Amino acid sequence: MDAVSGANHGDTLGPLDDLCLGDIYQIQPKAVPYELSIIDPVADRTGSNRFLTTGASGHQLGGGSELGSAGDGVRPAGRLTFMASDGGRVELLLIELVDANGAVRLCFLPLEPVEPKVSYTLLEMSEDVGEVRLTDITPVAFTRGTSITLADGTQCQIERLRVGDRVLTRDHGPQPVRWIGNRTVRAIGPYAPVVITKGTLSNESDMIVSQNQRLFIYQRGTNRLSDTAELLIKARDLVDGERVYIRRGGFVEYFHLLFDTHEIIYAECTPTESMLANDRTLGQLPEDLLQEVTDAGVKAHDPHFGTEADKTLLAGHTPDTFYARRKPKE
C-alpha cells in the first residue's frame, strides 16, 4: 500500500514509528499478492488453534510460501485500522519475516478484503495485535451454479449436492462427498472470483471459482513444463483479462467439497481439485467450518500426485500457454 495523501505521501506502508494518523493509502492496480503459509509448531504438537498474538514467538513460514523461505521466523509488528472510502472499517496486521541471517522484511496481512484504487484512511495503530486466528475462507472453492459430474456422468449444480452423493473422480472412480461447506463473502480483493470463460480449458460453460482453486492440466509430449505430466495451476495464474478474468463487486457464494482423499473431480466437465484437508488448510478455516469438518470425521489427506505451478515454473509463460487450443472458424 502506498500513501496517496498526507504526511507520508508517496511512501510505502511502513513500520508503526513511520506512520501518521489521517494519511490515505491505496493498493496500486498492479500490486501482486503473495501467499504465506504460517505454521505454529506449538499448535501442531498440541492440536490447538493457530493464533498470532502480541509477543508471540515460534511462528514460522511453512512450505509453499511465496515470500521468504520455509523456516523463516514470523512475528507480529502491529495492528492498523483503516476506514475505506465507503465507510467500512478494515484492519491490517503488520508482520515481520526474519530469515536465517536475521534480515527483516515487513509485510501486511489484511484481516478483511482490500482492493486496488480504493482509498483507506489510517484511523488507529497499535503495537498490541490482540489475538488473531489466521483463516482463509476461500482456499479451494466453487461458486453457486457450478456443474459437478456425478458417478453416472450426469451433471449436478453444486448447491444441490448432498453429503453421501457419489461424484466421479479421475483416479478413484465414484466417491461419496464427505463434507460440503459454503460461505458468502464480498467479492473484492482476494475473495473476488475468477471467471474462466467457456472453452478456455475445454469447460462446457463459464467456470467461476476462487482465486486459489487449482485446475488440473495434463501435459502431453516432451515439451511439458514440469517434471510430471500432471500440473496443478491456480485459477488466478490463468488470468489474462479476457478469456480468464477476475470479477469484482457484489457478493459471491463459495462452496467447498471434501472427500476421504484429495481428489481430481470434474467441474463444468473440466478436471479440478477437491479441497485438500491437511494441517495447513484445516488450521486456516474459520471456527464454524472447522467444527463442521471435524464433526464429519474427515482425516488429513496426502496431496494429489502432480506438480504445483509456482511462480518459478510460470515465469516466462503467458496464461494462454495453458489454454485449450480453439478450432479455427470455418
Side-chain angles (χ1 to χ4, degrees):
M1 297 183 77
D2 297 330
V4 295
S5 179
N8 289 307
H9 182 268
D11 293 342
T12 299
L13 187 68
L16 292 180
D17 291 344
D18 296 342
L19 302 181
C20 293
L21 297 180
D23 282 3
I24 300 175
Y25 288 83
Q26 288 186 357
I27 297 177
Q28 297 306 311
K30 295 184 178 181
V32 178
Y34 291 92
E35 184 175 352
L36 297 181
S37 172
I38 301 176
I39 60 176
D40 181 351
V42 174
D44 287 342
R45 289 194 300 270
T46 63
S48 57
N49 292 325
R50 292 165 173 79
F51 293 96
L52 278 179
T53 59
T54 303
S57 61
H59 291 78
Q60 300 173 355
L61 285 183
S65 292
E66 296 176 341
L67 287 177
S69 302
D72 285 355
V74 178
R75 62 193 184 201
R79 188 167 185 150
L80 308 177
T81 302
F82 294 84
M83 182 176 68
S85 54
D86 63 1
R89 290 170 70 91
V90 172
E91 292 191 294
L92 273 66
L93 192 68
L94 291 176
I95 56 175
E96 295 176 339
L97 308 182
V98 186
D99 67 18
N101 297 317
V104 177
R105 181 172 191 169
L106 186 69
C107 304
F108 70 88
L109 175 68
L111 301 181
E112 289 89 19
V114 294
E115 55 185 332
K117 296 184 179 180
V118 173
S119 295
Y120 296 94
T121 303
L122 182 59
L123 297 180
E124 302 173 7
M125 52 184 175
S126 174
E127 294 180 354
D128 184 2
V129 301
E131 186 175 71
V132 181
R133 184 169 185 272
L134 303 176
T135 64
D136 179 359
I137 62 176
T138 60
V140 173
F142 306 93
T143 59
R144 173 176 285 273
T146 301
S147 291
I148 304 296
T149 302
L150 300 181
D152 61 0
T154 60
Q155 304 296 305
C156 179
Q157 290 184 326
I158 195 166
E159 65 271 18
R160 295 183 178 179
L161 276 178
R162 297 294 180 265
V163 171
D165 286 350
R166 296 173 70 80
V167 168
L168 181 64
T169 72
R170 180 179 184 271
D171 301 290
H172 301 116
Q175 292 295 317
V177 179
R178 292 303 183 196
W179 174 77
I180 303 171
N182 73 299
R183 179 66 58 96
T184 300
V185 297
R186 292 182 65 194
I188 62 175
Y191 298 158
V194 174
V195 179
I196 303 171
T197 58
K198 178 180 178 180
T200 297
L201 298 177
S202 300
N203 44 309
E204 292 296 316
S205 302
D206 288 356
M207 185 191 308
I208 308 174
V209 297
S210 66
Q211 294 182 32
N212 285 333
Q213 174 71 49
R214 295 185 301 177
L215 290 303
F216 178 91
I217 294 176
Y218 187 83
Q219 306 167 92
R220 296 176 175 82
T222 58
N223 294 325
R224 62 191 187 202
L225 302 180
S226 60
D227 294 335
T228 68
E230 299 180 327
L231 189 68
L232 289 165
I233 182 169
K234 292 179 180 177
R236 73 184 189 199
D237 292 324
L238 294 170
V239 170
D240 69 349
E242 296 181 5
R243 293 179 66 178
V244 182
Y245 59 92
I246 295 177
R247 189 181 71 188
R248 299 182 175 88
F251 291 83
V252 59
E253 186 177 12
Y254 285 116
F255 290 80
H256 318 285
L257 296 182
L258 267 177
F259 297 83
D260 287 330
T261 56
H262 186 215
E263 300 287 357
I264 299 300
I265 62 175
Y266 297 88
E268 303 298 348
C269 299
T270 299
T272 180
E273 69 171 334
S274 65
M275 184 174 171
L276 172 64
N278 59 20
D279 287 343
R280 175 185 170 193
T281 56
L282 296 182
Q284 291 176 336
L285 285 177
E287 289 285 357
D288 56 342
L289 295 188
L290 178 60
Q291 187 61 53
E292 290 180 13
V293 174
T294 301
D295 293 343
V298 177
K299 306 297 183 182
H301 296 161
D302 291 325
H304 185 275
F305 176 79
T307 301
E308 170 80 36
D310 59 17
K311 291 185 180 296
T312 300
L313 185 148
L314 295 173
H317 298 282
T318 57
D320 60 7
T321 302
F322 308 96
Y323 296 169
R325 293 183 180 179
R326 288 183 170 173
K327 296 179 180 180
K329 295 182 179 180
E330 296 182 356

